[in-house]
Amino acid sequence: MFQAPKEFSVLGMPVHVMDNYPSWLLNCWQYNQGTHVITLNAEMTMQAQQNPTLAKIIKSADLVIPDGAGVVLYLRWLLWQKVNRCPGIELAEKLLCAVGQQQTDKTVFFYGGAPGVAATAAEFWLQKSPGLNIAGTYSGYHTPEEEQQLKQTLAQLQPQIILVGLGVPRQELWISQNRHLCPQSIWIGVGGSFDIWSGTKSRAPSWLADNNLEWLYRLYQEPWRWRRMLALPQFAVKACIYHLTAKSAT
Ligand code: UDP
């Protein structure tokens, strides 16, 4: 039914390269094709090297998009062709806008973020796209009992799109463990997207993003990230070694 996207390897992790991710996903949405989308960046790739469970989840995802500048630069180097970056937040936005225009009964669910953040993000979306049918929201900080309640709610509502913003790798593990609850849904790990839509945080200005420097803005906004960001130079070194040794082996 679907054209299989072209798959390439970035440090052993699959990445799907195609021209139009939103339309591929919209097709899944139209045909109720259960889908798990992973938004791969250099940091997640490095985490996967240390975390076999995360690596397994990425390898079995239906769609892995090149979310980060490091992954895109590596793919351009590997393929010698233009590869467009597809930030997860933008893919989710395009999908929500397209779905909002369809005026259907199919619903959307937001899970994650500090208390009230997903609900404020939902209000933002209802203003932006009144046709969107948001079935519910749930904070990412809760007791195990509340999580059981969330799972029951999801199983009952069967939202067609479920955005999970718990950060990496928590959201990937959670989706992998729970996607059977809504097997026909599109599940996307969206990181801090609810923070952006709710106005709690802002995205980097486009001139920084266009120059592959979005990470610098995040570091400025969240200086505590410096330790996590050590993964970026490590990724660059590993990518060079991986690429050159793979080349010499051919
Ligand atoms: N978060 C959550 N529950 C948790 C831990 C984190 O809902 O137990 C949320 C947090 O409030 C934030 C998001 O997960 O909205 C993580 O955002 P970040 O930008 O750090 O994601 P990443 O860079 O890991 O994709």
Side-chain angles (χ1 to χ4, degrees), residues 6-27:
K6 278 192 206 153
E7 184 179 309
F8 298 94
S9 167
V10 174
L11 302 192
M13 293 303 114
V15 182
H16 296 117
V17 175
M18 63 174 91
D19 293 332
N20 196 334
Y21 295 96
S23 95
W24 190 88
L25 220 44
L26 205 54
N27 217 11

Side-chain angles (χ1 to χ4, degrees), residues 112-114 140-141 165-168 170 191-192 195 218 225 228:
Y141 296 86
L166 301 175
V168 177
R170 197 179 275 112
D195 295 323
R218 291 209 80 176
R225 273 185 178 268
R228 277 180 63 172

Side-chain angles (χ1 to χ4, degrees), residues 22 43 107 115 123 144 172 204:
E43 210 179 302
T107 59
E123 281 166 25
E172 283 70 30

